[in-house]
Amino acid sequence: MHYYTGQIIGLIVAETQAIAQEAVGLVKVHYSELPHILSIEEAIENNSYFPVNRRIVKGDIEKGLEEADFVFEGETRIGGQEHFYLETQATLIIPKLEDKEFEIHSSTQNPTETQITVASVLGIDANRIVCRVKRLGGGFGGKETRSIPLSLALAVGAWHLKKPIRCMLDRDEDIIISGQRHPFLGRWKVGVTKDGKLLAMDVQIYNNGGWSADLSVAVLERSMTHVDNCYYVPNVRIIGHLCKTNIHSNTAFRGFGGPQGMMITENIMCEIADSMGIDVNDFREKNLYVEGQQTHFNQTLKDWHVPLIYRQVKNDSEFEKRREEIDKFNSEHKWRKRGLALIPTKFGISFTALHLNQAGALVHIYHDGSVLISHGGVEMGQGLHTKMLQIAAETLDVPLETVHLMETATNLVGNTSATAASVSSDINGYAVSNACKTLAERLKPYREKMPDKSFKEIVHAAYFDRVNLSANGFYKTPDIGYNWDKNEGQMFFYFTMGAACTEVEIDVLTGDHTILRTDLCMDIGRSINYAIDVGQIEGAFVQGVGWCTIEETLHFPNGHTIHSSKGVGEPPLFLGSSVFFAIRDAIKSARQSNNNGATVALSSPATPEIIRLACDDEIVKNCKVERKDGESAWALRV
Ligand SMILES: *[C@@H]1O[C@H](CO)[C@@H](O)[C@H](O)[C@H]1NC(C)=O
Ligand SMILES: *[C@@H]1O[C@H](CO)[C@@H](O)[C@H](O)[C@H]1NC(C)=O
Ligand SMILES: *[C@@H]1O[C@H](CO)[C@@H](O)[C@H](O)[C@H]1NC(C)=O
Ligand SMILES: *[C@@H]1O[C@H](CO)[C@@H](O)[C@H](O)[C@H]1NC(C)=O
């Protein structure tokens, strides 16, 4: 059965890449159009879901909505996003004929699952397969599971041909075959008191999983646990639906549903504030959680710094002063409008699947005094290995140059979790640290006996005394363990928090926008490596900006319309939405200057077409605008 355009239908193996590509060109595929479902709306209409039932209920939603002075309803649409990692999916499989062993070099965030899945496809035990990863040219979640199908196909080829096989997808193949970030739809009903306090929040969340479930349940769960963003609501009901459609299987992408959940909330905040005619920032500030309150999944907030960060960014960005300057600018300019937005965020740190919150490490000290460490995490440009080397050097109290890390491999550390969920430095770091502590303890008597000697001499002495200079380390995150049925137990080990304030200018005539300034603050605790963390924040922010402005995924081949497709670290990613909400603010000014005070429901991404249309002036009114349901895909017919 084939479910989507781009699904792999076979494998061609050739001596060279050029021959293989030529052969692919000779394959004739006959397509016939079958009944299909592409968008979330079509899935809802046809009742096309994966059978999962997720809900989080706190308080009494009916009573809360009844007691509210105002009840607002709306819909929020959020589009997908292509990972566009620097290196496309790539795998090399080398069969070792003697003992039916296979060596896999894969650009995967998940060496263990690659190993286990290839073993099951070949019908052999996992102990005959080693998956090695030196580093990836970026992953962003796109290689957490969607890297595995390529390894499976190649493994079957290598099994039959008894030869090494390598494949690296071309960019277009990669985009067509592998999944993207999930598009989401939120349908909400929110009750508010007349003094602007949130009282009840009833949200139906839909995500477009594509043709297979893959990680979509976990992505849905994370959106459901982040739909409060930073706001306290006493009565909450969140129901999650997973739509089954005939597109590529959507998958993990930095933020993993969290940004989509928070995007729904912040749209709710804006639309309610506009409808009530109150200032959205006052509305936000009034509803921020305070220390000790419980989230809708009943986690008590400890070390809660969002109100402080929010006020700090507000002050440091000179928010009030610039608000006045922007209002003045907007009153003097008809075709250029500026907007300002200040957005808070929290992001829960832990895998929502409890068993994944574990990590292992293996550390050898060679008797020349050099140290080799291995751990379960994969390096993909995020600087994980650098942090692990720092932790090992600090725990063993040796210079950084003494410690080396060769690769991630399943025969060094087994049963590893995917490098994902922003936990990898934490869990692998503890595992490395635990292994190094064991070794430091064994070397302690020698360090005490010979305090003036070098590490090399100390190690050498221990070796001659037959001390074991290898150790493995293990870590499991304590305290956590949430029960979805009972809404009890701790979901996240902790939260990473931040806020960003962005000013933009839009060109009302073209829908183009320019970011004029962003002030951003993240609480990253005690940083292991400041330079890496700043890089991660900047990278995540920019990727978040792309997600909610210029990157749009379209699935609608339609000759009659003009398409404008622009195929182009987790917690800060959502702050990219400060650009989106600043754009929204600018659009509001543009509409007001046309005496249009109606609340705008802006779908993400806010592409130039969307911005242009949302300004909704005389010129737009003369165009016939046709909107395709779902995906935030719009078609313009003039
Ligand atoms: C979905 O529902 C519509 C309207 O009822 C129908 O026309 C269409 O054939 C259905 N699609 C599939 C794939 O069943
Ligand atoms: C929420 O958690 C607290 C402990 O933090 C517990 O006392 C309370 O019973 C829980 N509430 C619900 C509704 O499960
Ligand atoms: C407020 O921001 C200004 C600069 O914009 C800074 O000089 C001042 O120290 C800040 N005040 C607080 C309390 O952070
Ligand atoms: C690896 O995981 C399997 C099952 O998931 C378990 O049986 C085995 O004990 C684990 N091994 C280690 C070293 O943790």
Side-chain angles (χ1 to χ4, degrees):
M1 249 322 248
H2 288 93
Y3 299 95
Y4 76 102
T5 308
Q7 193 169 352
I8 297 177
I9 56 170
L11 178 71
I12 289 180
V13 185
E15 296 278 333
T16 69
Q17 184 180 4
I19 298 173
Q21 283 176 332
E22 206 180 318
V24 167
L26 297 176
V27 176
K28 286 204 169 58
V29 184
H30 297 283
Y31 289 96
S32 50
E33 199 172 317
L34 299 174
H36 55 273
I37 291 166
L38 300 178
S39 68
I40 292 176
E41 273 87 351
E42 284 167 9
I44 294 172
E45 192 178 309
N46 289 280
N47 212 18
S48 176
Y49 299 109
F50 289 100
V52 289
N53 200 351
R54 284 282 183 275
R55 56 169 58 212
I56 303 177
V57 177
K58 174 175 110 172
D60 184 337
I61 188 72
E62 308 297 346
K63 190 155 159 272
L65 288 171
E66 205 168 289
E67 287 174 0
D69 296 309
F70 306 102
V71 174
F72 298 94
E73 285 183 60
E75 280 193 356
T76 303
R77 282 191 178 72
I78 302 145
Q81 186 179 24
E82 161 60 28
H83 298 86
F84 222 88
Y85 19 64
L86 293 80
E87 171 199 32
T88 57
Q89 309 275 7
T91 297
L92 164 66
I93 302 207
I94 306 169
K96 307 272 173 88
L97 299 175
E98 188 184 330
D99 286 313
K100 270 196 191 161
E101 293 168 354
F102 289 82
E103 183 178 339
I104 306 169
H105 296 262
S106 172
S107 67
T108 181
Q109 291 171 244
N110 206 338
T112 292
E113 206 162 310
T114 304
Q115 171 203 23
I116 302 285
T117 318
V118 168
S120 81
V121 162
L122 297 183
I124 59 178
D125 287 340
N127 59 9
R128 287 175 193 272
I129 296 180
V130 53
C131 181
R132 301 179 191 281
V133 179
K134 182 78 176 175
R135 69 180 77 78
L136 319 184
F140 311 122
K143 298 173 184 170
E144 185 172 344
T145 59
R146 302 323 297 161
S147 54
I148 297 173
L150 189 62
S151 290
L152 298 181
L154 265 58
V156 172
W159 170 280
H160 286 294
L161 296 171
K162 303 185 170 44
K163 282 186 181 162
I165 302 184
R166 175 181 180 276
C167 179
M168 181 174 184
L169 296 180
D170 282 349
R171 180 66 70 180
D172 56 343
E173 296 163 346
D174 190 289
I175 290 176
I176 293 167
I177 295 171
S178 54
Q180 307 186 341
R181 186 190 287 284
H182 288 75
F184 270 70
L185 170 67
R187 289 186 168 158
W188 45 268
K189 198 168 175 184
V190 177
V192 193
T193 66
K194 59 180 180 305
D195 49 356
K197 283 277 211 181
L198 294 166
L199 195 59
M201 185 165 167
D202 192 7
V203 188
Q204 304 267 343
I205 299 183
Y206 300 82
N207 80 10
N208 188 339
W211 72 276
S212 86
D214 184 51
L215 292 167
S216 301
V217 178
V219 169
L220 184 64
E221 288 176 352
R222 187 162 284 265
S223 72
M224 294 172 69
T225 56
H226 283 70
V227 74
D228 55 339
N229 193 11
C230 298
Y231 310 110
Y232 175 72
V233 191
N235 305 290
V236 180
R237 179 169 65 195
I238 313 293
I239 300 178
H241 310 270
L242 182 47
C243 298
K244 188 174 179 180
T245 59
N246 297 100
I247 63 167
H248 51 226
S249 186
N250 282 319
T251 190
F253 194 140
R254 204 176 194 171
F256 206 80
Q260 292 99 317
M262 297 183 278
M263 196 72 177
I264 294 172
T265 328
E266 290 301 341
N267 273 289
I268 291 175
M269 298 306 280
C270 288
E271 289 179 33
I272 291 181
D274 286 354
S275 300
M276 289 176 72
I278 57 178
D279 180 85
V280 67
N281 294 297
D282 294 343
F283 185 45
R284 287 195 182 102
E285 240 175 295
K286 193 175 278 182
N287 286 285
L288 288 177
Y289 280 119
V290 297
E291 173 88 18
Q293 274 178 334
Q294 270 121 25
T295 64
H296 58 302
F297 48 93
N298 202 28
Q299 178 157 350
T300 304
L301 295 169
K302 295 178 211 150
D303 302 318
W304 178 248
H305 305 309
V306 167
L308 181 70
I309 295 171
Y310 193 84
R311 278 163 210 142
Q312 186 180 328
V313 172
K314 191 169 182 177
N315 172 66
D316 293 351
S317 63
E318 302 177 284
F319 188 88
E320 304 289 1
K321 176 169 150 259
R322 285 165 58 212
R323 176 82 264 174
E324 285 171 22
E325 288 167 3
I326 289 168
D327 291 344
K328 182 162 179 291
F329 177 93
N330 287 345
S331 68
E332 292 165 355
H333 294 78
K334 182 170 166 61
W335 300 116
R336 300 194 78 83
K337 298 287 180 189
R338 292 186 180 167
L340 188 65
L342 174 51
I343 303 291
T345 192
K346 76 164 176 358
F347 193 83
I349 304 294
S350 293
F351 285 100
T352 50
L354 182 63
H355 71 280
L356 295 177
N357 295 285
Q358 60 171 313
L362 177 65
V363 178
H364 298 311
I365 304 177
Y366 294 101
H367 66 69
D368 68 350
S370 67
V371 180
L372 180 69
I373 69 169
S374 311
H375 63 90
V378 167
E379 176 62 48
M380 47 188 148
Q382 84 281 43
L384 177 63
H385 285 353
T386 305
K387 288 185 177 177
M388 297 303 103
L389 292 171
Q390 283 181 266
I391 288 170
E394 191 184 313
T395 315
L396 288 170
D397 192 17
V398 296
L400 192 57
E401 314 81 76
T402 312
V403 191
H404 186 62
L405 202 165
M406 236 178 232
E407 63 179 357
T408 309
T410 54
N411 60 352
L412 293 171
V413 178
N415 291 6
T416 59
S417 294
T419 302
S422 298
V423 301
S424 303
S425 300
D426 290 0
I427 62 176
N428 292 293
Y430 269 114
V432 167
S433 166
N434 288 342
C436 291
K437 275 186 192 146
T438 305
L439 292 168
E441 201 56 37
R442 290 182 197 154
L443 291 174
K444 201 167 154 200
Y446 298 87
R447 280 187 150 142
E448 280 165 359
K449 217 163 33 190
M450 31 202 306
D452 307 326
K453 299 291 192 201
S454 69
F455 187 65
K456 182 173 172 171
E457 288 163 306
I458 287 163
V459 167
H460 214 67
Y463 168 73
F464 271 94
D465 265 0
R466 297 183 291 174
V467 171
N468 178 1
L469 293 173
S470 296
N472 88 330
F474 184 76
Y475 176 76
K476 58 178 183 179
T477 313
D479 305 330
I480 53 173
Y482 177 76
N483 182 322
W484 280 88
D485 296 326
K486 298 187 177 148
N487 195 24
E488 56 180 46
Q490 187 174 328
M491 180 89 73
F492 299 114
F493 192 38
Y494 63 88
F495 294 98
T496 296
M497 304 163 226
C501 175
T502 293
E503 179 177 348
V504 301
E505 183 173 311
I506 64 167
D507 180 325
V508 173
L509 288 173
T510 63
D512 205 4
H513 78 273
T514 311
I515 301 171
L516 300 180
R517 169 174 167 175
T518 294
D519 294 70
L520 186 151
C521 174
M522 290 300 294
D523 175 5
I524 50 170
R526 201 169 62 90
S527 176
I528 298 172
N529 187 314
Y530 186 76
I532 289 176
D533 288 343
V534 168
Q536 283 288 80
I537 292 169
E538 291 176 350
F541 177 81
V542 169
Q543 206 162 29
V545 172
W547 163 57
C548 58
T549 58
I550 58 173
E551 296 171 32
E552 186 174 32
T553 300
L554 298 170
H555 296 287
F556 300 98
N558 184 338
H560 303 298
T561 60
I562 301 164
H563 287 289
S564 203
S565 168
K566 297 164 199 72
V568 238
E570 292 189 298
L573 189 133
F574 178 63
L575 294 179
S577 75
S578 60
V579 173
F580 177 90
F581 291 104
I583 288 173
R584 190 185 184 284
D585 188 50
I587 291 171
K588 191 174 143 186
S589 286
R591 290 162 70 97
Q592 280 167 349
S593 61
N594 287 316
N595 298 317
N596 181 351
T599 305
V600 63
L602 191 64
S603 63
S604 174
T607 57
E609 302 88 305
I610 298 252
I611 294 173
R612 182 68 195 87
L613 290 169
C615 290
D616 201 13
D617 51 24
E618 286 308 310
I619 303 170
V620 169
K621 285 196 173 67
N622 293 329
C623 303
K624 182 164 184 292
V625 177
E626 181 187 289
R627 183 175 160 176
K628 286 282 183 185
D629 49 357
E631 318 315 314
S632 85
W634 291 59
L636 251 187
R637 200 187 296 150
V638 182

